[in-house]
Amino acid sequence: MLAVVIALFLFAASCNTPAKETDTKTTDVSAVTTEQKQVIEQEISGLIKEFFQQVEKLDIETCMTYFENTPDFQAVNPDGTLGDYDALKKLNADGFSQMKTLSVVPTKEVIRVLTDSLVLYTFSMEQDATLKTGQKIKYEHVAGTMLFSKINGAWKATFYHESAAAPVAVK
């Protein structure tokens, strides 16, 4: 009985002990200089420009190189489903396969540096597509978020969320 009481006492004491801080390789945004922040913003801006150029080329293989292919990757798709890297790739490959052309017109973009190795990118845009059938459609309201992590010296999206209104037919 005494052993149980001592064990409970030790357990309770350990629950109240503050967690030990561990060293991390990430620099909090408050410690990132203005110059470092500008460099990071330029890197992400250039990366996003390249990414949307590949989207317009309907090149799913190259588009997916901007995402980190790991079990931790998460996507929230425009239809409200959750997916992993493979599900995001399949969903977009299926969409691209129906299109002859696609143009992407960003209307607002925000790059928010969270740390020296973590950046949140948010966008809104319009998309115009011509399907292989000849039908033209317009996505008037598309919004998304990409969470970029610097992994082995390269920025990769580790989370993706896109929301879109249903497309409208263009005459």
Side-chain angles (χ1 to χ4, degrees), residues 4-24:
V4 172
V5 171
I6 291 173
L8 287 174
F9 176 76
L10 291 174
F11 175 74
S14 68
C15 288
N16 293 326
T17 303
K20 293 180 182 177
E21 291 189 25
T22 57
D23 291 334
T24 62

Side-chain angles (χ1 to χ4, degrees), residues 27-107:
T27 303
D28 189 78
V29 72
S30 61
V32 177
T33 67
T34 302
E35 293 79 19
Q36 289 171 315
K37 202 171 177 181
Q38 288 173 343
V39 167
I40 292 169
E41 289 169 351
Q42 288 172 352
E43 290 173 351
I44 296 298
S45 180
L47 189 68
I48 289 301
K49 184 178 178 182
E50 292 171 11
F51 171 71
F52 285 131
Q53 287 171 346
Q54 297 307 317
V55 168
E56 287 184 327
K57 291 179 183 178
L58 302 171
D59 182 354
I60 191 62
E61 294 301 327
T62 304
C63 285
M64 293 307 293
T65 65
Y66 293 84
F67 298 92
E68 182 67 7
N69 185 2
T70 67
D72 292 334
F73 178 84
Q74 287 187 313
V76 180
N77 301 311
D79 63 1
T81 60
L82 296 176
D84 59 10
Y85 177 92
D86 292 328
L88 180 67
K89 182 177 181 179
K90 181 178 179 347
L91 182 75
N92 283 291
D94 290 348
F96 285 3
S97 72
Q98 298 175 40
M99 297 179 191
K100 183 178 178 181
T101 64
L102 176 65
S103 73
V104 174
V105 182
T107 54

Side-chain angles (χ1 to χ4, degrees), residues 99-140:
M99 297 179 191
K100 183 178 178 181
T101 64
L102 176 65
S103 73
V104 174
V105 182
T107 54
K108 185 172 183 177
E109 299 177 289
V110 177
I111 298 171
R112 184 171 171 213
V113 177
L114 303 174
T115 70
D116 65 339
S117 61
L118 200 60
V119 174
L120 187 66
Y121 169 74
T122 307
F123 64 88
S124 62
M125 67 173 56
E126 294 179 359
Q127 296 177 343
D128 294 304
T130 303
L131 302 179
K132 289 181 177 175
T133 63
Q135 173 68 50
K136 293 184 182 209
I137 59 174
K138 182 179 195 80
Y139 294 88
E140 294 177 328

